[in-house]
Coordinates of all heavy atoms in Angstrom, one line a residue:
K930 N 176.7 114.0 95.4 CA 177.0 113.3 96.6 C 175.8 113.1 97.5 O 175.7 112.3 98.4 CB 178.1 114.1 97.4 CG 179.4 114.1 96.7 CD 180.4 114.9 97.5 CE 181.7 115.0 96.8 NZ 182.7 115.9 97.5
S931 N 174.7 113.9 97.2 CA 173.5 113.9 98.1 C 172.5 112.9 97.5 O 171.4 112.7 98.1 CB 172.9 115.2 98.2 OG 172.4 115.7 97.0
I932 N 172.7 112.3 96.4 CA 171.8 111.4 95.8 C 172.1 109.9 96.2 O 173.2 109.4 96.0 CB 171.8 111.5 94.2 CG1 171.4 112.9 93.8 CG2 170.9 110.5 93.6 CD1 171.5 113.2 92.4
L933 N 171.0 109.3 96.8 CA 171.2 107.9 97.1 C 171.0 107.0 95.9 O 171.7 106.1 95.7 CB 170.2 107.5 98.2 CG 170.1 106.1 98.8 CD1 171.5 105.8 99.5 CD2 169.0 105.9 99.7
R934 N 169.9 107.2 95.2 CA 169.6 106.4 94.0 C 168.6 107.2 93.1 O 167.9 108.1 93.6 CB 169.1 105.0 94.3 CG 167.7 105.0 94.9 CD 167.2 103.5 95.2 NE 165.9 103.6 95.8 CZ 165.7 103.6 97.1 NH1 166.7 103.7 97.9 NH2 164.4 103.6 97.6
V935 N 168.4 106.7 91.9 CA 167.5 107.3 90.9 C 166.6 106.1 90.5 O 167.1 105.1 90.0 CB 168.2 107.9 89.7 CG1 167.2 108.4 88.7 CG2 169.1 109.1 90.2
E936 N 165.3 106.3 90.6 CA 164.3 105.3 90.2 C 163.7 105.7 88.9 O 163.0 106.7 88.8 CB 163.3 105.1 91.3 CG 163.8 104.6 92.6 CD 162.8 104.4 93.7 OE1 161.7 104.9 93.5 OE2 163.1 103.9 94.7
G937 N 163.8 104.9 87.8 CA 163.3 105.2 86.5 C 162.1 104.3 86.3 O 162.1 103.1 86.6
E938 N 161.1 104.8 85.6 CA 159.9 104.1 85.3 C 160.1 103.3 84.0 O 160.6 103.8 83.0 CB 158.7 105.0 85.0 CG 157.4 104.4 84.6 CD 156.4 105.4 84.2 OE1 156.1 106.3 85.1 OE2 155.9 105.4 83.1
V939 N 159.9 102.0 84.1 CA 160.1 101.1 82.9 C 158.8 100.3 82.7 O 158.2 99.8 83.7 CB 161.3 100.1 83.2 CG1 161.4 99.2 82.0 CG2 162.5 100.9 83.4
S940 N 158.3 100.3 81.5 CA 157.1 99.5 81.2 C 157.4 98.6 80.0 O 158.4 98.8 79.3 CB 156.0 100.5 80.8 OG 156.3 101.3 79.7
R941 N 156.5 97.7 79.8 CA 156.6 96.7 78.8 C 155.5 96.9 77.8 O 154.3 96.9 78.2 CB 156.6 95.3 79.4 CG 157.0 94.2 78.4 CD 157.0 92.8 79.1 NE 158.1 92.7 80.1 CZ 159.3 92.2 79.8 NH1 159.6 91.9 78.6 NH2 160.2 92.1 80.7
S942 N 155.8 97.0 76.5 CA 154.8 97.2 75.5 C 154.2 95.8 75.1 O 154.6 94.8 75.6 CB 155.4 97.9 74.3 OG 156.3 97.1 73.7
F943 N 153.2 95.8 74.3 CA 152.5 94.6 73.9 C 153.4 93.7 73.1 O 153.3 92.5 73.1 CB 151.3 94.9 73.0 CG 150.2 95.5 73.8 CD1 149.8 96.8 73.6 CD2 149.5 94.7 74.8 CE1 148.8 97.4 74.4 CE2 148.5 95.3 75.5 CZ 148.1 96.6 75.3
G944 N 154.4 94.2 72.4 CA 155.4 93.4 71.7 C 156.5 92.8 72.6 O 157.3 92.0 72.1
G945 N 156.5 93.1 73.8 CA 157.4 92.6 74.8 C 158.7 93.4 74.9 O 159.6 93.1 75.7
K946 N 158.7 94.6 74.2 CA 159.9 95.4 74.3 C 159.8 96.3 75.6 O 158.7 96.7 76.0 CB 160.0 96.4 73.1 CG 160.3 95.7 71.8 CD 160.4 96.6 70.7 CE 160.7 95.9 69.4 NZ 160.9 96.9 68.3
M947 N 161.0 96.5 76.2 CA 161.0 97.4 77.4 C 161.1 98.8 76.9 O 161.8 99.1 76.0 CB 162.3 97.1 78.2 CG 162.3 95.6 78.8 SD 161.0 95.3 79.9 CE 161.6 95.9 81.4
K948 N 160.4 99.7 77.6 CA 160.3 101.1 77.2 C 160.5 101.9 78.5 O 159.9 101.7 79.5 CB 158.9 101.4 76.6 CG 158.7 102.8 76.2 CD 157.3 103.0 75.7 CE 157.0 104.4 75.5 NZ 155.6 104.7 75.1

Side-chain angles (χ1 to χ4, degrees):
K930 294 177 183 176
S931 69
I932 297 176
L933 180 65
R934 68 179 180 272
V935 177
E936 297 177 349
E938 177 186 303
V939 178
S940 60
R941 192 177 292 269
S942 65
F943 289 112
K946 293 183 180 180
M947 299 296 277
K948 179 182 172 186

